C-alpha cells in the first residue's frame, strides 16, 4: 500500500470517528434526558433523610420531560338505561335542601350524590354546599377547593341549583335530617318528605355506617351515577399543583418504565381506623415496612418511584424508603410557596384533595387499608381505565405475581362504578 492509500484510509477513519462522536452528542443532548441530567437537591437519600426538591428543579424536570401525563388506557362510557328522570318528570316545590361536605373527597362525592337524590325526589332546590374542615370544624367555601361553575353545569337538568339561599329565607331552626348513604326513594317519601313539607327547608347529613358501596340499580343509583362522577373537579390552582406532582413522579420513574406507585398510607389513619384482622384472620391494614415487602415480592425493584399520601415524613416510613429510596411525599415535592399555602393551614382538605387526585391518576395504586378512600379512588380509576390497583396481602413465598393481588373491584367487577359505566 503506497503513502497515498495510507493517508486516505487514515482520513476515512477520522471521519467515521467524528460521525460516531457527533451522533452520541446529539443523542445525549436531545433525546435521552434522564433524571441524572437534572440538578435536584438530595439525590442520595438515607432512610432517615427527607428529600428537598427546589421549585427551580421542578420546573427544569417538567421542561425536559418528553413523557406527558399518561392518558386513559381505555376509559368506560356511561351505560345506564333507562335515563334518570329529568326535572320535568318530578313535581317541583318551593323549598330548599342544604348540606355540607365533610371528611375529605372520598366522602364528598357520596354526599353530593345523596343531596342530589333527595332534592330530586322532593322537587326541591339544592343549595351548593360549604366544606367543613376535618381538623378545625370551620367552614370553607366550596370554591376554595372545587370548580363551582363545573358543579353547577354538571347538575343542571338534574336538579334546580342555587349558589346561595335567597335573603328572605332563614336557616334558623332548620331541622337536621340524618340519612343513610345511598338513600332510597321509599325512605325519602316516608321519612324525609313529611319534615320537608312542614318546614320548607331541611339540612341533610349522610350517615356512613359501613364503607361498602351499594350495587342497587334503580333510579336512585342512576342519579348518583351522574352526580358522583365528573361533578367535583378541583379548581384550577389545586389541579395544576396535583398535575405537576404526577408529572414529576412519572419523570423520575423513567428507570422503571415511567410508572410510579401511589400508596395511600397515612399513619394517623392507620392508628384511628386499623382494626387488626377480620373474622377470617386476614390483616385489614398494612404499615410501611409491610407495604415495602409486598411490593418487593411482586418484583418491584429499588428504582421504583413511590408516592405516599402521608403529608409530612414520619419515622414509620423509614423502612419503606430503605427498600425504595425514591419514596416521596407532598412535602418533598411541592414548592415552598405552595406548601405554605396548601399544607400549612389548619385544614387538611387541600392535601386530601391533592392525594385523591394523585392516587386516581397514578400508574399503580396500593391502599394500606380498606376504607372509603380506597373504594372511591378505585371507582375513579375504573371509570378512566386505570385498573392497576393492588391490594396488599401477606405473601409467604419469596415472590408472587401482581395479577394475584389485583383489587376484587376490578377482577370481580363488583364496584358501584360498573353499574354506571361499561
Amino acid at each position: 500500500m503506497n503513502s497515498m492509500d495510507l493517508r486516505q484510509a487514515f482520513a476515512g477513519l477520522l471521519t467515521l470517528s467524528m460521525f460516531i462522536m457527533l451522533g452520541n452528542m446529539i443523542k445525549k443532548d436531545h433525546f435521552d434526558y434522564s433524571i441524572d441530567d437534572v440538578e435536584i437537591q438530595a439525590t442520595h437519600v438515607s432512610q432517615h433523610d427527607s428529600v428537598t426538591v427546589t421549585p427551580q428543579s421542578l420546573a427544569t424536570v417538567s421542561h425536559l420531560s418528553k413523557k406527558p401525563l399518561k392518558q386513559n388506557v381505555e376509559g368506560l362510557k356511561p351505560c345506564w338505561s333507562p335515563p334518570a328522570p329529568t326535572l320535568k318528570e318530578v313535581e317541583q316545590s318551593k323549598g330548599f335542601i342544604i348540606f355540607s361536605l365533610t371528611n375529605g373527597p372520598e366522602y364528598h362525592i357520596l354526599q353530593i350524590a345523596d343531596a342530589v337524590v333527595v332534592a330530586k325526589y322532593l322537587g326541591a332546590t339544592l343549595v351548593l354546599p360549604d366544606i367543613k374542615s376535618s381538623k378545625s370544624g370551620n367552614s370553607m367555601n366550596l370554591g376554595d377547593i372545587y370548580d363551582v361553575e363545573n358543579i353547577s353545569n354538571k347538575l343542571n337538568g338534574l336538579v334546580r341549583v342555587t349558589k346561595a339561599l335567597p335573603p328572605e329565607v332563614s336557616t334558623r331552626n332548620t331541622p337536621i335530617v340524618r340519612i343513610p348513604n345511598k338513600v332510597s326513594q321509599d325512605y325519602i317519601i316516608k321519612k324525609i318528605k313529611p319534615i320537608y313539607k312542614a318546614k320548607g327547608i331541611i339540612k341533610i347529613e349522610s350517615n356512613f355506617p359501613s364503607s361498602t358501596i351499594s350495587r342497587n340499580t334503580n333510579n336512585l343509583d342512576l342519579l348518583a351515577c351522574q352526580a358522583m362522577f365528573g361533578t367535583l373537579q378541583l379548581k384550577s390552582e389545586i389541579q395544576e399543583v396535583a398535575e405537576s406532582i404526577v408529572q414529576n413522579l412519572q419523570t423520575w420513574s423513567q428507570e422503571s418504565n415511567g410508572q410510579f406507585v401511589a400508596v395511600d398510607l397515612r399513619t394517623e389513619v392507620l392508628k384511628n381506623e386499623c382494626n387488626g384482622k377480620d373474622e377470617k384472620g386476614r390483616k385489614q391494614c398494612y404499615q410501611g415496612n409491610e407495604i415495602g415487602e409486598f411490593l418487593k415480592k411482586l418484583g418491584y425493584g429499588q428504582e421504583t418511584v413511590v408516592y405516599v399520601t402521608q403529608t409530612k415524613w414520619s419515622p414509620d416510613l423509614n423502612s419503606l424508603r430503605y427498600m425504595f429510596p425514591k419514596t416521596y411525599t407532598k412535602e418533598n415535592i411541592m414548592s415552598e410557596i405552595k406548601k405554605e399555602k396548601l399544607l400549612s393551614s389548619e385544614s387538611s382538605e387541600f392535601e386530601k384533595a391533592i392525594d385523591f387526585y394523585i392516587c386516581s391518576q397514578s400508574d399503580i395504586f396500593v391502599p394500606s387499608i380498606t376504607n372509603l378512600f380506597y373504594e372511591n379512588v378505585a371507582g375513579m380509576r375504573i371509570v378512566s381505565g386505570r385498573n392497576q390497583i393492588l391490594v396488599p396481602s401477606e405473601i409467604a413465598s419469596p415472590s408472587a405475581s401482581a395479577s394475584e393481588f389485583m383489587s376484587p373491584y376490578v377482577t370481580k367487577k363488583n364496584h358501584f362504578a360498573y353499574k354506571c359505566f361499561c
Side-chain angles (χ1 to χ4, degrees), residues 80-146:
W80 48 80
S81 180
T86 63
L87 278 175
K88 294 180 181 179
E89 297 171 359
V90 179
E91 182 181 352
Q92 300 300 295
S93 63
K94 295 182 179 180
F96 298 89
I97 303 297
I98 60 177
F99 70 110
S100 295
L101 300 179
T102 61
N103 298 321
E106 68 271 29
Y107 286 86
H108 296 172
I109 60 176
L110 299 176
Q111 289 164 340
I112 197 165
D114 285 339
V116 167
V117 168
V118 171
K120 168 72 78 173
Y121 285 99
L122 293 180
T125 297
L126 182 66
V127 182
L128 292 184
D130 61 353
I131 301 174
K132 295 292 186 184
S133 170
S134 302
K135 288 183 178 180
S136 66
N138 296 331
S139 293
M140 303 170 60
N141 294 324
L142 182 64
D144 289 341
I145 293 179
Y146 296 112

Side-chain angles (χ1 to χ4, degrees), residues 193-343:
K193 190 172 183 179
I195 304 173
Y196 171 74
K197 288 186 69 174
K199 297 293 185 178
I201 181 173
I202 60 173
K203 180 174 184 177
I204 62 171
E205 293 182 354
S206 296
N207 184 33
F208 298 92
S210 170
S211 62
T212 303
I213 291 183
S214 167
R215 296 183 64 196
N216 296 331
T217 56
N218 55 28
N219 276 348
L220 293 180
D221 279 324
L222 303 180
L223 290 170
C225 286
Q226 297 176 76
M228 283 179 65
F229 295 100
T231 299
L232 293 178
Q233 291 186 0
L234 298 177
K235 75 173 188 177
S236 58
E237 179 186 3
I238 300 178
Q239 178 95 2
E240 289 169 3
V241 170
E243 285 180 350
S244 70
I245 293 176
V246 171
Q247 175 72 65
N248 285 289
L249 289 167
Q250 288 183 337
T251 300
W252 297 338
S253 64
Q254 288 178 1
E255 291 183 16
S256 55
N257 298 321
Q259 294 190 327
F260 74 94
V261 180
V263 178
D264 178 36
L265 197 165
R266 290 164 285 171
T267 55
E268 70 277 8
V269 172
L270 291 180
K271 290 176 182 177
N272 295 332
E273 298 183 18
C274 185
N275 297 316
K277 297 186 177 182
D278 62 16
E279 64 278 2
K280 295 183 179 180
R282 295 173 301 194
K283 284 179 65 69
Q284 293 183 298
C285 47
Y286 292 82
Q287 303 293 337
N289 62 310
E290 296 170 317
I291 295 288
E293 291 293 342
F294 172 72
L295 291 174
K296 281 178 62 179
K297 289 186 177 182
L298 294 187
Y300 290 92
Q302 65 175 3
E303 76 282 357
T304 301
V305 172
V306 177
Y307 172 82
V308 183
T309 54
Q310 175 79 19
T311 297
K312 294 185 178 181
W313 192 260
S314 166
D316 293 338
L317 300 176
N318 288 342
S319 57
L320 176 62
R321 177 173 279 171
Y322 181 79
M323 288 180 268
F324 297 96
K326 294 182 178 180
T327 296
Y328 301 92
T329 65
K330 290 179 292 299
E331 188 180 44
N332 301 147
I333 304 173
M334 292 172 62
S335 69
E336 292 299 327
I337 295 176
K338 294 300 182 184
K339 281 194 290 187
E340 180 67 27
K341 184 172 184 179
L342 300 179
L343 303 185

